[in-house]
Amino acid sequence: MENLKIGGKDPSGEKNSRGAVAKKDKTGGPKPGAKMKEVKKETGLGLSHKKDENFGEWYAEVVVKSEMIEYYDVSGCYILRPWAYSIWDTLREFFDAELKQSGVKNCYFPLFVSSNVLEKEKNHIEGFAPEVAWVTKSGQSDLEMPIAIRPTSETVMYPYFAKWIRGHRELPLRLNQWCNVVRWEFSNPTPFIRSREFLWQEGHTAFATKEEADSEVLEILELYRRIYEEYLAIPVIKGKKSELEKFAGGLYTTSVEAFIPNTGRGIQGATSHCLGQNFAKMFEINFENEKGERAMVWQNSWAYSTRVIGVMVMTHGDDKGLVLPPRVAPVQIIVIPVPYKDADTQAIMDACSETVNNLNSAGFRAEADTRDNYSPGWKYSDWELKGVPLRIEIGPKDIAKKQVRIVRRDNSVKKDIPSDNLVESVREVLESIQESMFKTAKEKRDACIVKAKTFEDFAAAINNKKMVLVPWCDEEEVEKEVKARTKGETGAAKTLCSPFDQEPVPEGTLCFATGKPAKKWTLWGRSY
């Protein structure tokens, strides 16, 4: 596994021969000749909510206590702390390198967009209108014309596509920008999942033919799958959105869909849209083709955001805190010294330092926790809360036996390994953790997918927190009716996607909602 690193802490109060403090007399000092025992006290690090009992409160608590985010004084806005931003950096480095290799170039367009440009594509702005934030004043003076803060950048960028594209030699034009966007009007903000400002990448491209555009849509979607499955260890389903759920103003939308078993809700992980020629018509993005004829370009847009971090927390976290996949963990291995009274503390510290150096030299992300004002048990708790995939403990017995003890964050399994085989052993364990996390998440997700052929079975499965695969007639009005019929306190069911990987619909199969001939299998569920 490339570039892996780990760190972890154990919040348990169990006896551990590797960490100890002396018994104290009534004055608070250590008794002469007293044996050592594990510290028995509250660490203040544990979570007060259980994931299975109160998911919302658990999530809100874990993202703060693990130092992923801090709340800001503007509702719906959050500070991304280094522990979270490092994960974003890792994903950005992967995706950016893939884009550059495929010929996409980075750029940056302004945050502001004039109202007349934003409103040029009517269907598009109608889809975003409730979320658009407007700048109306400069100091104490009203602006002559309100200026919008971008909710997305189609209308910001495409007037300049029209300026830059003249002939077929300027095509394809493939641009990407890493930026922030603002979407203001919503209720129940949730860190990473629904925020008024968030970070993302947005790609915008133009081609001479629809075939080229169609091909890119799927190429980008595959990169999004890799982000979720290969880096974040989250299983996703690739598919096509319904007409009702597609991007406003676009021709069609594809997506990767994840699922949170604890809440029974799907979550859109990333989208890759074919915009067709609609925006090209609105913004007059024309070119002269090889035959000397005037033609309109075919366009795509695609994006993923810091939402991916929230999906990761929801998928893998447990009652001890975060559980981070090794490939994205800011620290992959945390090395903790476990001294005894009268032990050679300097020798233990030297062994920890050497271990960290060897691991970092091998390409891992490793750190040592040498803080002397906390017990080993407290440190275990701290690093477990932060989700570091692997903990290494080194005490005097380990030095004597030329070994270290490793403890996995994902399943708490402990193992002693020889020091001279450290790098290879750690590599194997981290790869095992990454694979095991994906396998476990997929098993839980798959157990939540139910097939139904009648509305009654469909509704029962939805109310049982399942994703439901049903035969559907693919009619927009039917989707609206199903939404209305399933609306409840926890929201209505809607289409998530029609999976690309699906069996043919047997002849004579009827739509689950109308009894009309079914055209496809479609996944439905409640969603974020």
Side-chain angles (χ1 to χ4, degrees):
M1 185 178 299
E2 297 179 359
N3 300 322
L4 289 177
K5 277 198 178 178
I6 293 183
K9 297 187 178 181
D10 185 349
S12 69
E14 298 174 358
K15 290 183 179 180
N16 184 332
S17 62
R18 286 169 167 70
V21 294
K23 292 182 179 178
K24 295 182 179 180
D25 62 18
K26 293 180 180 179
T27 66
K31 284 186 177 182
K35 292 183 178 180
M36 307 297 286
K37 70 174 184 178
E38 182 73 19
V39 175
K40 300 277 189 178
K41 65 177 182 179
E42 293 294 326
T43 65
L45 292 171
L47 302 178
S48 57
H49 297 93
K50 302 291 186 183
K51 186 177 183 180
D52 290 337
E53 295 175 2
N54 192 330
F55 185 85
E57 294 296 332
W58 168 85
Y59 179 79
E61 185 179 20
V62 76
V63 293
V64 172
K65 284 198 168 183
S66 65
E67 299 181 356
M68 297 280 274
I69 65 107
E70 186 61 78
Y71 283 87
Y72 194 58
D73 65 354
V74 175
S75 176
C77 296
Y78 309 95
I79 299 165
L80 297 188
R81 301 186 66 178
W83 202 246
Y85 201 88
S86 175
I87 296 171
W88 180 243
D89 268 345
T90 297
L91 299 177
R92 183 172 61 180
E93 287 169 7
F94 158 74
F95 193 75
D96 200 58
E98 292 291 330
L99 292 186
K100 289 174 180 175
Q101 188 174 3
S102 71
V104 178
K105 300 184 184 302
N106 282 332
C107 63
Y108 184 79
F109 279 73
L111 175 68
F112 303 111
V113 53
S114 63
S115 58
N116 62 318
V117 171
L118 182 67
E119 294 168 357
K120 195 165 187 176
E121 210 298 317
K122 300 300 181 184
N123 290 331
H124 178 70
I125 187 55
E126 284 177 8
F128 283 101
E131 301 175 337
V132 176
W134 294 91
V135 178
T136 59
K137 283 181 174 290
S138 172
Q140 298 301 314
S141 303
D142 292 335
L143 296 182
E144 183 177 342
M145 180 73 71
I147 298 173
I149 300 174
R150 62 174 170 227
T152 181
S153 296
E154 281 76 9
T155 56
V156 178
M157 299 172 77
Y158 295 166
Y160 299 92
F161 276 42
K163 181 178 181 179
W164 298 336
I165 297 171
R166 288 290 179 263
H168 64 88
R169 293 179 181 83
E170 280 83 59
L171 295 173
L173 178 61
R174 305 177 70 203
L175 302 180
N176 176 70
Q177 66 173 357
W178 297 91
C179 62
N180 62 338
V181 291
V182 173
R183 297 182 182 178
W184 199 263
E185 183 63 34
F186 63 84
S187 58
N188 301 319
T190 304
F192 298 115
I193 304 300
R194 290 181 65 83
S195 56
R196 284 180 169 158
E197 179 192 11
F198 56 87
L199 302 179
W200 75 350
Q201 62 72 216
E202 53 177 325
H204 295 271
T205 56
F207 298 91
T209 66
K210 183 176 185 294
E211 290 73 20
E212 292 175 283
D214 289 339
S215 178
E216 186 200 59
V217 165
L218 297 182
E219 289 172 6
I220 296 298
L221 196 67
E222 173 60 12
L223 291 180
Y224 292 148
R225 182 203 66 79
R226 291 182 62 191
I227 284 173
Y228 275 92
E229 296 195 344
E230 296 180 12
Y231 280 78
L232 298 172
I234 299 169
V236 292
I237 296 171
K238 296 196 294 186
K240 185 177 180 180
K241 288 288 191 181
S242 69
E243 286 297 300
L244 191 63
E245 293 294 327
K246 74 177 184 180
F247 183 70
L251 180 62
Y252 66 85
T253 290
T254 67
S255 66
V256 290
E257 301 288 332
F259 189 76
I260 310 300
N262 293 79
T263 61
R265 291 182 180 275
I267 186 162
Q268 180 177 282
T271 51
S272 183
H273 315 286
C274 179
L275 302 180
Q277 295 181 307
N278 190 32
F279 286 90
K281 182 179 181 180
M282 292 296 108
F283 290 94
E284 299 181 1
I285 311 175
N286 302 310
F287 71 103
E288 186 177 281
N289 64 23
E290 293 178 347
K291 297 179 181 179
E293 302 166 340
R294 297 295 292 170
M296 287 190 296
V297 300
W298 293 84
Q299 291 180 266
N300 294 336
S301 67
W302 27 269
Y304 82 96
S305 75
T306 41
R307 167 178 278 206
V308 299
I309 300 174
V311 181
M312 177 199 68
V313 174
M314 290 181 169
T315 300
H316 300 304
D318 62 20
D319 291 342
K320 293 180 180 180
L322 299 179
V323 182
L324 298 179
R327 285 184 178 166
V328 298
V331 175
Q332 294 169 319
I333 308 124
I334 189 68
V335 180
I336 298 180
V338 190
Y340 283 68
K341 182 188 178 186
D342 301 327
D344 187 345
T345 303
Q346 188 58 51
I348 295 173
M349 294 300 180
D350 290 345
C352 290
S353 179
E354 182 181 5
T355 298
V356 169
N357 290 338
N358 289 340
L359 291 171
N360 286 336
S361 296
F364 299 104
R365 297 185 291 276
E367 292 182 5
D369 188 343
T370 59
R371 293 175 290 179
D372 60 6
N373 56 329
Y374 294 112
S375 71
W378 191 97
K379 294 177 183 180
Y380 300 165
S381 298
D382 187 27
W383 291 104
E384 275 202 340
L385 177 60
K386 298 183 77 170
V388 174
L390 194 66
R391 180 173 80 240
I392 291 181
E393 304 168 5
I394 300 178
K397 291 183 179 179
D398 299 304
I399 294 176
K401 294 179 180 180
K402 297 182 179 180
Q403 67 178 29
V404 299
R405 170 161 289 186
I406 60 173
V407 185
R408 291 172 58 145
R409 175 63 180 91
D410 63 323
N411 60 17
S412 301
V413 169
K414 301 178 181 181
K415 183 180 179 181
D416 295 329
I417 61 173
S419 299
D420 59 6
N421 195 36
L422 175 68
V423 169
E424 190 55 39
S425 295
V426 165
R427 193 182 308 279
E428 291 174 0
V429 171
L430 290 180
E431 288 174 352
S432 174
I433 292 172
Q434 186 82 26
E435 292 168 4
S436 178
M437 289 180 67
F438 178 76
K439 181 181 178 182
T440 299
K442 188 174 187 302
E443 288 173 350
K444 290 180 180 179
R445 191 280 310 271
D446 289 350
C448 293
I449 300 176
V450 173
K451 246 184 180 181
K453 292 188 177 180
T454 67
F455 185 84
E456 290 72 21
D457 290 344
F458 164 82
I462 289 292
N463 291 331
N464 199 28
K465 296 184 177 181
K466 306 296 184 183
M467 272 194 299
V468 192
L469 186 66
V470 293
W472 183 41
C473 61
D474 195 17
E475 294 182 9
E476 192 170 329
E477 288 305 313
V478 174
E479 183 171 1
K480 291 178 181 178
E481 290 173 8
V482 172
K483 278 188 173 183
R485 292 172 69 182
T486 57
K487 190 173 183 179
E489 292 183 2
T490 55
K494 67 176 185 179
T495 58
L496 303 177
C497 72
S498 295
F500 290 138
D501 183 13
Q502 64 172 264
E503 301 173 356
V505 177
E507 187 175 351
T509 301
L510 303 180
C511 171
F512 79 104
T514 65
K516 296 179 181 179
K519 297 179 181 178
K520 60 173 70 172
W521 293 98
T522 300
L523 269 175
W524 293 64
R526 293 193 168 97
S527 72
Y528 283 94

